[in-house]
Amino acid sequence: MRIENISQLMARSLLTALPKVADGFSVTREDKAPAAAPLPLQQQTSVAVPVPNVAMLVTLAAADPMMDRRRRLAAQAEKGVEMLDHLHKEVLVGTPSVERLREIAQWSQTLETPDEPVLAQILAEIDLRVRVELAKYDVEA
């Protein structure tokens, strides 16, 4: 497995999470104990098998850029829905504040378009609802 586009700090964390193998000794799947008479490094044919631990798996999961982007877009969608909810509450009480309308317009202008079709459709529907609400007050997004 090859891992690309990771920072030096993350690479160091991954390397420290790997099990340590002494020079001249190797760990294989069949034999977990060191060999009685170690061979020189050039003559060794077995490969050290890293045993994944929880810290390494968490680091790898946190490094997934697609997962991070999806989380960020989901948070952005949730923020849009919350702003619409606050706007609706302000309308029920009276007229919405100018700050609220500006905040919603700013959200709509900075909205990212995701590559995933389902997520893109959900965000587009939220954005359309935001633009309709803003149009009621002659505010362009």
Side-chain angles (χ1 to χ4, degrees), residues 113-125:
T113 304
D115 298 330
E116 192 173 319
V118 174
L119 194 52
Q121 181 182 2
I122 292 169
L123 281 170
E125 289 176 11

Side-chain angles (χ1 to χ4, degrees), residues 23-45:
D23 287 339
F25 292 81
S26 64
V27 177
T28 61
R29 291 179 195 263
E30 300 81 32
D31 181 19
K32 298 290 182 190
L39 297 172
L41 289 177
Q42 296 83 6
Q43 294 178 354
Q44 288 184 4
T45 57

Side-chain angles (χ1 to χ4, degrees), residues 1 5 11-12 33 37 47 58 61-62 66 88 90 107 113 119 128 132:
M1 178 166 89
N5 300 329
R12 243 183 273 130
V47 177
V58 168
M66 287 298 291
H88 178 70
E90 286 183 9
W107 176 87
T113 304
L119 194 52
L128 176 64
V132 167

Side-chain angles (χ1 to χ4, degrees), residues 42-110:
Q42 296 83 6
Q43 294 178 354
Q44 288 184 4
T45 57
S46 60
V47 177
V49 179
V51 179
N53 63 18
V54 175
M56 185 171 64
L57 294 174
V58 168
T59 304
L60 286 173
D64 186 6
M66 287 298 291
M67 185 71 86
D68 184 49
R69 186 158 194 257
R70 287 184 63 141
R71 269 191 223 113
R72 192 174 59 248
L73 290 170
Q76 194 175 25
E78 186 175 345
K79 182 178 179 183
V81 171
E82 285 177 6
M83 287 190 297
L84 281 172
D85 186 45
H86 290 299
L87 178 66
H88 178 70
K89 289 176 183 175
E90 286 183 9
V91 169
L92 290 176
V93 173
T95 53
S97 67
V98 174
E99 294 84 26
R100 174 78 58 209
L101 294 172
R102 282 187 189 144
E103 181 184 26
I104 294 173
Q106 177 69 25
W107 176 87
S108 181
Q109 291 168 352
T110 60

Side-chain angles (χ1 to χ4, degrees), residues 4-22:
E4 297 177 359
N5 300 329
I6 61 172
S7 67
Q8 287 183 347
L9 177 64
M10 188 177 302
R12 243 183 273 130
S13 297
L14 289 173
L15 289 175
T16 58
L18 293 175
K20 305 291 185 240
V21 178

